[in-house]
Amino acid sequence: MTTAVKGEQISYREAVREAIRDAMRRDDRVFLMGEDVGRYGGCFAVSLGLLEEFGPDRIRDTPLSESAFVGAGIGAALAGMRPIVEIMTVNFSLLALDQILNNAATILHMSGGQFNVPLVIRMTTGAGRQLAAQHSHSLEGWYAHIPGLRILAPATLEDARGMLWPALEDPDPVLIFEHGSLYNLSGELDSTGPVDIDHAAVRRPGRDVTLLAYGGMLHKTLAAAEQLSEAGVEAEVIDLRTLRPLDDETITGSVRRTHRAVVVDEAWRSGGISAEVSARITEQAFYDLDAPVERVCGAEVPTPYAKHLEEAALPQPADIVAAACRAVDSDA
Amino acid sequence: MTTAVKGEQISYREAVREAIRDAMRRDDRVFLMGEDVGRYGGCFAVSLGLLEEFGPDRIRDTPLSESAFVGAGIGAALAGMRPIVEIMTVNFSLLALDQILNNAATILHMSGGQFNVPLVIRMTTGAGRQLAAQHSHSLEGWYAHIPGLRILAPATLEDARGMLWPALEDPDPVLIFEHGSLYNLSGELDSTGPVDIDHAAVRRPGRDVTLLAYGGMLHKTLAAAEQLSEAGVEAEVIDLRTLRPLDDETITGSVRRTHRAVVVDEAWRSGGISAEVSARITEQAFYDLDAPVERVCGAEVPTPYAKHLEEAALPQPADIVAAACRAVDSDA
Amino acid sequence: MTEKRGTRTTRKRTSQSRTSVARTNRSHSTDNAAPTAPGHEAAKHRADLLREMRRIRRFEERCVELYSAAKIRGFMHLYIGEEAVAVGVMRALTPDDAVVTTYREHGHALARGMSEESIMAEMYGRVTGCSRGRGGSMHLFDAGLRFYGGNAIVGGGLPLAVGLALADRMRGENRVTACFFGDGAVAEGEFHECLNLAALWNLPLLFVCENNLYAMGTALNRAQAETDIALRASSYGLASWAVDGMDVLAVEQAAARAAEAVRWGGGPHFLELRTYRYRAHSMYDPDRYRDKAEIERWKAHDPIDALAARMRAEGQLTDDALAAMDKQIADEIDRAIEAADAGAWEPVEDLTRFVYSAPPTKAPTGAMSS
Amino acid sequence: MTEKRGTRTTRKRTSQSRTSVARTNRSHSTDNAAPTAPGHEAAKHRADLLREMRRIRRFEERCVELYSAAKIRGFMHLYIGEEAVAVGVMRALTPDDAVVTTYREHGHALARGMSEESIMAEMYGRVTGCSRGRGGSMHLFDAGLRFYGGNAIVGGGLPLAVGLALADRMRGENRVTACFFGDGAVAEGEFHECLNLAALWNLPLLFVCENNLYAMGTALNRAQAETDIALRASSYGLASWAVDGMDVLAVEQAAARAAEAVRWGGGPHFLELRTYRYRAHSMYDPDRYRDKAEIERWKAHDPIDALAARMRAEGQLTDDALAAMDKQIADEIDRAIEAADAGAWEPVEDLTRFVYSAPPTKAPTGAMSS
Ligand SMILES: Cc1ncc(C[n+]2csc(CCOP(=O)(O)OP(=O)(O)O)c2C)c(N)n1
Ligand SMILES: Cc1ncc(C[n+]2csc(CCOP(=O)(O)OP(=O)(O)O)c2C)c(N)n1
Ligand SMILES: [Mg+2]
Ligand SMILES: [Mg+2]
């Protein structure tokens, strides 16, 4: 039923598109709704061609009314549909945050279990393309604060392809954050099937230090791990994948073995999800730690346009390497 | 110039009102704007009587248009006014969050330093009055994530009275979070003057464990400290006061002495500001810690209406005592 | 599944219709208001309406006592004075239709058919309440009745209603979603976004604006540059009327017409019900912002008294019948209160139940103490 | 500081005015458009307008080249085709007035008087740019000109403009705040909230809606149930007109009238400028959603060509004069590019400068490594 075949070259963008196409074919309750998903083909060309296949009812362009169409997704989900709402980018999701927090995440509990909200919201997140202060946020950590939601951050082709279906099968609202820098990532798809959305994944085994990252930062972290390896430090790289609920076992399990941890997050440091990961590691593996948990985060500044300033504002592999070295060296 | 006299009995509500009155008298650029601040007298009666004194231009009632009137406050501040915008409660502030993040916090940097935003936003926060899931949030941690803002949480009468003026003198946007359970707090005012808004305060000295709290949780934490004292544990209680920027020195200084820390926060645990405080303590005082930093937070659940459930969802003195005992006992 | 906008009716309000519904013009006959049913049946129909309104009023009067007795806590918003709106509109809906409303929803819940027991127990915070005690006065829900709850964020229910109606539209169901909100919500951005979406997509949505002239302490004319809400609504390209919200027969008639139009493809309709709340905004409100005389003026047009008077005049109501009705209502409410008082509490261990549909595979709060 | 609403003009658009400005009716004379100045002065005035429009167009054409050469990065939105709007409206403003605009603001910035140097350097990311390289194409600011910036959140500038106007109102200043935004913004809740606030408070605010018929790939009629934006705006109780945005003289005249009314207490005014963008939404946009023929149809009414043709017909423009004008423009732009190329970079150490006005007393990021 899927059109992407294992082993073929595919981009992250195409993987997301195939996931949507596949879900739309499988279940006629599924529809895609958002700004410019149809005629335009999606702001990042994710949904290109889907309008032609599924028509304007199920590939539904919306006006610029984030609160209304996200809320409409919640309402449609309440009525038994399986909407995929696309918010063009996380920056605009603030306009719909009230709906997400006060309705999507809350109605199940507030109604004493009567109404669940089987909704998927996808949005692009992150910086790195010189889009300046209002178009470069990484706010998924805020969403990961909200009980009632599940938060996913696909960083690989398989996750881009495989997370959507289980998200749609989840009876509760799921938010999927796609980092803008990943759409052009391409390679062979190992599998076109649904993936586990409960667990973090070890993307690179290692023994000396655990590097924890997700989304756009995973690839910089893997690059850093390569550099560290050349310097004789074997880093284990964990892709968090699911930001809520966090997979404590995988995280803590790794740190118990390596005794050192570095959390990498593109978001601003103070109050980012990096803080939560760090706090949990300390809470759960304090006596196994040989060094304080390090964080490598975005500088606390509205993301600047100029390339050199933006680069300085974002975590770079060198910063990760330096933090890992500090953790390893602090072996008291 | 001030009407409240040192030594008089005064409530937190009155202290905030006097602070507003005083600022309005001192500086005619200051005005108060928000829903029902005028004719109604303020949702929590904070601004009662001010309309009569200052008139409808400066005690300005707004329609239910959070994004517009908060943004209007930003615009008026850009034009050189000193607006105090009241958002009735933090729950509704989400509707204005885009304005706060993408304009108030960002314009100074994004304009290369040309335009600052001398705005104060006040809002009520917190749970505890059986107002259920949509009226009980503690989201100040989200705001504390945003570079460009200063975040204050007055927990005492002096801070309720004294934080507003320095906030108005700050050239940049300041958000003041008033916990709804504090308005009826009353006592003698030690001073009617402006207070320092840069530092945390030690509200109770102690040597065995550091308890860190702010806003509504401060009083439960002080109660817990009393109970601990009876059990022979002398807790130092720190009132964070300023949630951004956090006062690392005071926090870390205390933990270096007590070697143990418990962070108390009414907000949901995952991704709350408690995580940031915990992570920072570990980063800055790892080798001084005799136990992992503990957190006592709100349960990760939309706040329920029923009293017994709400109480179970919120941190209680007994939970703080238990956490402090765990920290003290884990002396390995 | 196709969306033909051509079928949309475009009966926009004119200045003519604007004045014809003005409150001053209350002598306007609404005899044809009830579904045409001669003699006995018409009388019975009116008696039902009367009974519903009295039941709602009495229920809330008891709630006030129970609030004073601290049996009910938190925010509680009374509907007293506005009963004709809920009763009239709900009559136009079928069990398949959906309802979305606000924190001021006791009347809607009762008129929709939720039991006094389940509502009272909810306000008592008992597990026997409709929302298992988690919601309280502001968050009454009933899946069986497609009652999608009281929403306490002003304007927050409108997008949900758009989505419910969208689902029906996509599936080709001839169902109506009725969305209640106040005059205060008209100022919110969501109002604007949702009216446009509903009109643009020709959704089967009935907007029910309860204009009681105040949003907390803010009078409509201090919140809106243009205070004719129905006229404003018509600017979105949907059919819109203002209706005397103190006349249950007028409400019922207007709602029936609008709902049928909505149900059969006529696109979204908007009703502005001009009404008044006699009581303060909530139990916390000292009600300093309006003239007591204004309240009394409105009470002179009380929807319950008005219907009763009319029925008496037409020989449809006797003192005995009224007393019997009230007695029955009082008994029902007594039983609900007793049941609420006897209701069990949700065990504290179940606090986090329903945060997710299934217990999450891993506890999201799972920090273990070491 | 008092707010008398009585002075508010209430020239609402009628269906009469609606058709009189329709694009089909382009023969409609705008000879009285320029501030009445006979002969030589009128010619000079038109030459200035022509020069401004050509300068903006040429500037952006060079930007396209520079984008291809990767000198300019990020999002860049071109104004080509819409120049008459910025040029016409800015003429109505004085230096004391304020401007708030969007990410598509090169034209506004140039027409407001920002130098080509400061804009080009900004797009190059240099410290010599108007926003020290922090803003880029979407975030041009100029405090001296009260140019409150390009805002990249659709609708996000409107509340700021309300606040700027509110400050003027409270202080009794006779200043205008002009707020530019697109047709897409009309769907956002903030549009609604801000129009109401401006009308309710009678603020000195000029709303300038650049209706280029598309919000990215979404045509106006697929975004709005009611596509007559000026008519919609009038429903808020403010004066509103639609104007041919391809006719700089018509724009200038309408803006001048509206701005004067706003300045002298007439309350907020709304102009819908009917225009068109020839280029894709941004440099990322493959422009798949519209007909190439549609673009050509609009180009036939190009604002620059139209004015030039008219001036020629009236003997106000020669080939030589045009060549000289273009030469001067080309030279100016060349100099700006050279200067941008030579501009310094903000030192990376200053990254966090301007996050706060003064260096914060304690570093908010101050995690020390142990
Ligand atoms: C977004 C939002 N802002 C503010 C409030 C606080 N509040 C609760 S009810 C209310 C007034 C609403 O008035 P209206 O819509 O007319 O409904 P009514 O209470 O008159 O039935 C306000 C301001 C809220 N609940 N939500
Ligand atoms: C709140 C928000 N939602 C979505 C976007 C993405 N976006 C940028 S421009 C645009 C279209 C805006 O169209 P319009 O207002 O007509 O202005 P134009 O680009 O035509 O000048 C969109 C959807 C955004 N920047 N902000
Ligand atoms: Mg009301
Ligand atoms: Mg447009």
Side-chain angles (χ1 to χ4, degrees):
Chain A
M1 206 136 146
T2 61
T3 53
V5 177
K6 181 168 146 40
E8 231 181 89
Q9 279 284 325
I10 188 172
S11 69
Y12 184 100
R13 169 181 294 109
E14 288 160 348
V16 177
R17 184 187 307 144
E18 287 313 310
I20 298 170
R21 192 196 306 272
D22 187 23
M24 302 266 303
R25 287 183 183 171
R26 281 206 225 189
D27 185 341
D28 63 15
R29 297 171 306 172
V30 175
F31 66 103
L32 177 69
M33 168 162 69
E35 291 162 11
D36 286 310
V37 296
R39 289 286 282 273
Y40 190 100
C43 177
F44 298 93
V46 165
S47 48
L48 195 66
L50 298 183
L51 175 68
E52 291 67 23
E53 180 169 351
F54 299 103
D57 227 43
R58 294 183 69 201
I59 303 292
R60 182 171 289 265
D61 277 323
T62 67
L64 277 143
S65 304
E66 284 80 2
S67 190
F69 73 73
V70 170
I74 300 168
L78 282 169
M81 301 293 283
R82 292 291 178 276
I84 306 171
V85 174
E86 175 175 311
I87 303 179
M88 214 178 252
T89 77
V90 70
N91 313 282
F92 319 139
S93 74
L94 300 180
L95 297 168
L97 180 49
D98 168 64
Q99 285 295 320
I100 297 171
L101 170 54
N102 281 314
N103 285 338
T106 302
I107 284 178
L108 177 67
H109 193 262
M110 193 163 73
S111 69
Q114 291 184 75
F115 292 106
N116 64 308
V117 182
L119 167 71
V120 172
I121 301 176
R122 296 172 41 242
M123 58 186 114
T124 302
T125 188
R129 291 160 299 139
Q130 288 192 251
L131 303 185
Q134 296 181 331
H135 276 63
S136 301
H137 298 300
S138 290
L139 299 173
E140 48 276 8
W142 282 359
Y143 291 97
H145 182 53
I146 304 176
L149 302 182
R150 180 190 287 273
I151 309 297
L152 305 178
T156 65
L157 297 176
E158 289 71 25
D159 281 354
R161 178 67 182 83
M163 279 182 162
L164 183 66
W165 186 250
L168 283 164
E169 284 193 308
D170 193 313
D172 301 316
V174 179
L175 274 60
I176 304 181
F177 289 88
E178 300 161 9
H179 195 286
S181 69
L182 294 176
Y183 289 118
N184 290 329
L185 181 81
S186 91
E188 269 185 26
L189 200 58
D190 278 348
S191 134
T192 62
V195 297
D196 155 54
I197 55 170
D198 289 321
H199 295 94
V202 177
R203 297 291 181 204
R204 182 189 196 284
R207 56 164 197 263
D208 299 326
V209 57
T210 300
L211 310 181
L212 302 113
Y214 69 91
M217 284 297 112
L218 176 65
H219 304 277
K220 288 188 179 177
T221 305
L222 287 166
E226 286 310 305
Q227 293 177 31
L228 284 164
S229 175
E230 282 161 30
V233 176
E234 288 308 326
E236 178 144 308
V237 177
I238 292 191
D239 177 1
L240 296 172
R241 300 180 71 249
T242 300
L243 304 184
R244 183 179 187 96
L246 282 168
D247 176 5
D248 289 318
E249 263 167 66
T250 304
I251 296 169
T252 312
S254 173
V255 177
R256 287 227 170 86
R257 276 183 285 104
T258 64
H259 308 294
R260 294 163 188 87
V262 177
V263 189
V264 184
D265 184 15
E266 186 177 303
W268 297 312
R269 180 191 194 95
S270 294
I273 196 164
S274 63
E276 180 62 29
V277 176
S278 168
R280 287 193 185 204
I281 292 172
T282 303
E283 281 159 3
Q284 297 169 26
F286 182 70
Y287 299 100
D288 295 297
L289 281 175
D290 284 346
V293 180
E294 294 270 350
R295 287 189 285 166
V296 180
C297 301
E300 305 213 31
V301 49
T303 310
Y305 162 72
K307 192 178 173 62
H308 67 300
L309 295 178
E310 186 182 39
E311 274 174 5
L314 301 178
Q316 302 299 347
D319 304 318
I320 305 169
V321 168
C325 290
R326 276 198 304 274
V328 171
D329 290 346
S330 67
D331 218 351
Chain B
M1 206 135 148
T2 58
T3 54
V5 176
K6 180 168 148 38
E8 231 180 90
Q9 280 284 325
I10 189 172
S11 70
Y12 184 100
R13 169 182 293 109
E14 288 160 347
V16 177
R17 184 187 307 145
E18 288 312 312
I20 298 171
R21 193 195 305 271
D22 187 22
M24 301 268 301
R25 288 182 182 172
R26 281 206 224 188
D27 185 342
D28 63 12
R29 297 171 305 172
V30 175
F31 66 102
L32 177 70
M33 169 163 68
E35 291 161 12
D36 286 312
V37 296
R39 289 287 284 273
Y40 189 99
C43 178
F44 297 94
V46 164
S47 48
L48 195 65
L50 297 182
L51 175 67
E52 290 67 24
E53 180 170 352
F54 299 104
D57 227 44
R58 294 183 68 200
I59 303 293
R60 183 172 287 266
D61 277 323
T62 67
L64 277 144
S65 303
E66 284 79 3
S67 191
F69 73 74
V70 170
I74 301 169
L78 282 169
M81 302 293 282
R82 292 289 178 278
I84 305 171
V85 175
E86 175 175 313
I87 303 179
M88 213 177 253
T89 76
V90 70
N91 312 284
F92 319 140
S93 75
L94 301 179
L95 297 169
L97 180 50
D98 168 64
Q99 285 295 320
I100 297 172
L101 170 54
N102 280 314
N103 285 338
T106 301
I107 284 178
L108 177 68
H109 193 263
M110 194 164 72
S111 69
Q114 291 184 77
F115 292 106
N116 64 308
V117 182
L119 168 71
V120 171
I121 302 176
R122 296 171 41 242
M123 59 185 113
T124 302
T125 187
R129 291 161 299 140
Q130 288 191 251
L131 303 184
Q134 295 180 331
H135 276 62
S136 301
H137 297 302
S138 290
L139 300 173
E140 48 277 7
W142 281 359
Y143 291 96
H145 182 53
I146 304 176
L149 302 182
R150 180 190 288 273
I151 309 297
L152 305 179
T156 65
L157 297 175
E158 288 71 27
D159 281 355
R161 178 65 182 81
M163 278 181 162
L164 183 65
W165 185 250
L168 283 165
E169 284 192 308
D170 193 312
D172 302 318
V174 179
L175 274 61
I176 304 180
F177 289 88
E178 299 160 9
H179 195 286
S181 69
L182 295 176
Y183 288 119
N184 290 330
L185 181 79
S186 90
E188 268 184 27
L189 201 58
D190 279 349
S191 132
T192 62
V195 298
D196 155 54
I197 55 170
D198 290 320
H199 294 94
V202 177
R203 297 290 182 204
R204 182 190 196 282
R207 57 164 196 265
D208 299 327
V209 57
T210 299
L211 310 182
L212 303 113
Y214 69 91
M217 285 296 112
L218 176 64
H219 305 277
K220 288 189 178 177
T221 305
L222 286 166
E226 286 309 307
Q227 292 178 30
L228 284 163
S229 176
E230 283 161 29
V233 175
E234 288 308 325
E236 177 145 310
V237 177
I238 292 189
D239 177 1
L240 295 173
R241 300 180 71 248
T242 299
L243 303 184
R244 183 179 188 97
L246 282 168
D247 175 6
D248 290 317
E249 263 167 66
T250 303
I251 298 170
T252 312
S254 173
V255 177
R256 287 228 170 86
R257 275 183 286 106
T258 64
H259 309 294
R260 293 162 186 89
V262 177
V263 190
V264 183
D265 183 15
E266 186 176 305
W268 297 313
R269 179 191 195 95
S270 294
I273 196 165
S274 64
E276 179 62 29
V277 175
S278 168
R280 286 193 187 205
I281 291 172
T282 304
E283 282 159 3
Q284 297 169 27
F286 181 70
Y287 298 100
D288 294 298
L289 281 174
D290 284 346
V293 180
E294 294 272 349
R295 287 187 286 165
V296 179
C297 302
E300 306 214 30
V301 48
T303 309
Y305 162 72
K307 192 177 174 60
H308 67 300
L309 295 178
E310 186 182 39
E311 274 173 7
L314 301 178
Q316 302 299 345
D319 304 317
I320 304 169
V321 167
C325 290
R326 277 197 304 273
V328 171
D329 291 346
S330 68
D331 218 350
Chain C
M1 294 270 233
T2 59
E3 293 188 6
K4 283 222 11 265
R5 304 218 16 235
T7 57
R8 186 154 63 89
T9 61
T10 49
R11 276 170 294 175
K12 289 188 193 172
R13 295 192 57 248
T14 61
S15 52
Q16 172 61 25
S17 64
R18 189 189 333 192
T19 52
S20 72
V21 295
R23 289 215 70 288
T24 45
N25 191 5
R26 305 194 71 264
S27 61
H28 171 68
S29 164
T30 46
D31 253 355
N32 56 350
T36 42
H40 175 73
E41 274 180 36
K44 181 174 173 316
H45 175 76
R46 287 180 174 186
D48 284 351
L49 296 176
L50 185 67
R51 183 180 190 288
E52 274 303 270
M53 292 196 290
R54 287 184 89 87
R55 188 168 70 100
I56 293 170
R57 171 128 349 149
R58 192 61 200 134
F59 185 87
E60 288 202 320
E61 285 167 351
R62 297 297 301 276
C63 287
V64 176
E65 296 163 28
L66 296 164
Y67 197 93
S68 303
K71 293 285 190 177
I72 302 175
R73 305 296 298 271
F75 281 156
M76 185 172 81
H77 307 84
L78 299 176
Y79 199 58
I80 294 178
E82 311 187 27
E83 294 89 345
V85 177
V87 171
V89 172
M90 291 302 173
R91 290 270 154 171
L93 304 182
T94 72
D96 267 358
D97 295 335
V99 176
V100 176
T101 178
T102 71
Y103 48 86
R104 192 183 302 287
E105 90 284 37
H106 306 158
H108 307 127
L110 287 167
R112 179 64 179 164
M114 286 177 64
S115 73
E116 286 145 359
E117 275 77 8
S118 74
I119 298 171
M120 192 58 83
E122 185 58 32
M123 296 204 267
Y124 271 57
R126 308 291 166 131
V127 70
T128 48
C130 57
S131 308
R132 300 180 69 101
R134 285 168 167 78
S137 164
M138 302 198 288
H139 304 300
L140 307 175
F141 286 85
D142 192 318
L145 295 170
R146 300 198 74 219
F147 194 83
Y148 287 91
N151 203 303
I153 304 294
V154 172
L158 278 81
L160 297 188
V162 168
L164 289 163
L166 174 62
D168 284 339
R169 181 98 176 77
M170 291 181 73
R171 293 203 198 98
E173 309 245 27
N174 294 321
R175 301 197 296 195
V176 176
T177 297
C179 179
F180 291 83
F181 54 91
D183 51 289
V186 173
E188 292 281 7
E190 275 174 340
F191 171 88
H192 172 74
E193 297 185 1
C194 289
L195 262 70
N196 179 48
L197 262 195
L200 182 70
W201 290 346
N202 198 33
L203 300 180
L205 188 37
L206 180 62
F207 291 103
V208 185
C209 179
E210 305 185 310
N211 178 7
N212 60 13
L213 296 175
Y214 288 88
M216 285 188 63
T218 302
L220 181 62
N221 62 7
R222 292 191 303 115
Q224 290 290 327
E226 169 57 70
T227 54
D228 187 333
I229 295 175
L231 183 65
R232 288 294 326 283
S234 73
S235 78
Y236 291 87
L238 41 72
S240 175
W241 294 276
V243 179
D244 181 351
M246 305 303 268
D247 179 344
V248 67
L249 300 175
V251 173
E252 184 185 37
Q253 181 186 44
R257 286 188 189 167
E260 284 319 279
V262 169
R263 187 182 313 285
W264 301 110
H269 280 54
F270 189 101
L271 294 180
E272 176 197 347
L273 290 314
R274 295 181 179 174
T275 183
Y276 199 77
R277 68 168 155 74
Y278 299 169
R279 305 288 179 128
H281 168 73
S282 76
M283 303 305 286
Y284 281 68
D285 171 12
D287 209 341
R288 295 190 187 92
Y289 43 81
R290 57 182 183 173
D291 206 353
K292 298 294 163 272
E294 179 182 289
I295 305 177
E296 293 312 315
R297 275 199 304 282
W298 279 89
K299 282 189 178 170
H301 301 291
D302 184 69
I304 299 179
D305 292 348
L307 179 61
R310 193 153 157 186
M311 289 174 68
R312 273 187 218 274
E314 299 181 23
Q316 294 172 329
L317 186 68
T318 64
D319 285 352
D320 282 356
L322 193 61
M325 183 185 283
D326 285 352
K327 172 76 174 65
Q328 196 196 353
I329 288 170
D331 290 348
E332 277 174 37
I333 298 174
D334 281 341
R335 277 197 300 277
I337 295 171
E338 267 166 47
D341 247 322
W345 303 104
E346 179 86 91
V348 164
E349 305 73 60
D350 283 349
L351 171 65
T352 59
R353 207 176 147 197
F354 308 125
V355 177
Y356 295 92
S357 291
T361 37
K362 24 197 69 260
T365 61
M368 309 157 216
S369 35
S370 30
Chain D
M1 293 271 236
T2 59
E3 292 189 5
K4 281 213 27 254
R5 302 220 14 237
T7 58
R8 186 155 64 86
T9 62
T10 49
R11 277 169 292 175
K12 289 190 192 170
R13 295 192 55 250
T14 62
S15 54
Q16 171 59 25
S17 65
R18 186 185 341 190
T19 53
S20 73
V21 297
R23 288 216 68 290
T24 46
N25 190 5
R26 305 195 73 263
S27 61
H28 171 66
S29 165
T30 47
D31 254 353
N32 57 349
T36 44
H40 176 73
E41 276 180 34
K44 183 175 172 313
H45 175 76
R46 288 180 175 185
D48 285 351
L49 296 176
L50 184 67
R51 181 178 192 289
E52 274 303 271
M53 291 196 290
R54 287 184 89 87
R55 189 168 70 99
I56 294 170
R57 170 123 356 145
R58 192 60 200 135
F59 184 86
E60 288 202 320
E61 285 167 352
R62 295 299 301 276
C63 287
V64 176
E65 297 165 28
L66 296 165
Y67 197 94
S68 304
K71 294 285 191 177
I72 302 175
R73 306 297 298 271
F75 280 157
M76 185 172 82
H77 307 84
L78 300 176
Y79 199 59
I80 294 178
E82 310 187 29
E83 296 88 346
V85 178
V87 170
V89 172
M90 290 302 174
R91 289 269 155 172
L93 304 183
T94 71
D96 268 358
D97 294 336
V99 177
V100 176
T101 177
T102 71
Y103 49 86
R104 193 182 302 286
E105 89 284 39
H106 305 158
H108 308 127
L110 288 167
R112 180 63 181 164
M114 286 177 64
S115 75
E116 287 146 359
E117 275 78 7
S118 74
I119 298 171
M120 191 59 83
E122 185 58 33
M123 295 204 269
Y124 270 58
R126 308 290 166 133
V127 70
T128 48
C130 57
S131 308
R132 300 181 68 104
R134 283 168 169 77
S137 164
M138 301 198 289
H139 303 301
L140 306 176
F141 285 86
D142 193 319
L145 296 169
R146 301 199 72 221
F147 194 84
Y148 287 91
N151 202 304
I153 304 295
V154 172
L158 277 82
L160 297 187
V162 167
L164 290 163
L166 174 61
D168 284 341
R169 182 100 177 79
M170 291 181 74
R171 293 204 197 98
E173 309 244 27
N174 294 320
R175 303 197 295 197
V176 175
T177 297
C179 180
F180 292 82
F181 54 90
D183 50 290
V186 173
E188 291 282 5
E190 277 174 339
F191 170 88
H192 172 74
E193 297 186 0
C194 289
L195 262 71
N196 180 48
L197 262 196
L200 183 69
W201 292 346
N202 197 34
L203 300 182
L205 188 38
L206 180 62
F207 292 103
V208 185
C209 179
E210 305 185 310
N211 178 5
N212 61 13
L213 295 176
Y214 288 88
M216 287 188 60
T218 302
L220 181 62
N221 63 7
R222 292 191 303 113
Q224 290 290 328
E226 168 57 70
T227 56
D228 187 334
I229 295 175
L231 183 65
R232 290 293 327 284
S234 73
S235 77
Y236 291 87
L238 42 71
S240 174
W241 295 274
V243 178
D244 181 352
M246 304 304 268
D247 179 345
V248 69
L249 299 175
V251 174
E252 184 185 37
Q253 181 186 44
R257 285 188 188 167
E260 285 320 279
V262 168
R263 188 182 311 285
W264 301 110
H269 280 54
F270 189 100
L271 295 179
E272 175 197 346
L273 289 316
R274 295 183 178 173
T275 183
Y276 198 77
R277 68 168 156 73
Y278 299 170
R279 306 288 179 127
H281 168 73
S282 76
M283 304 303 289
Y284 281 67
D285 170 14
D287 209 342
R288 295 189 187 92
Y289 44 81
R290 56 182 183 173
D291 206 354
K292 298 293 164 272
E294 178 182 289
I295 305 177
E296 294 311 316
R297 274 200 304 282
W298 278 89
K299 282 188 177 170
H301 300 292
D302 184 69
I304 299 179
D305 292 349
L307 180 61
R310 191 153 156 186
M311 289 173 69
R312 273 188 217 276
E314 299 182 24
Q316 294 171 328
L317 185 70
T318 64
D319 285 352
D320 282 355
L322 193 61
M325 183 185 283
D326 285 351
K327 171 77 171 67
Q328 197 196 352
I329 289 170
D331 289 349
E332 277 173 37
I333 298 173
D334 280 341
R335 276 197 301 278
I337 295 171
E338 266 165 47
D341 247 322
W345 302 104
E346 179 85 271
V348 163
E349 305 73 58
D350 283 348
L351 170 65
T352 59
R353 208 177 145 196
F354 308 125
V355 178
Y356 295 93
S357 290
T361 38
K362 25 195 71 263
T365 60
M368 310 157 217
S369 34
S370 32

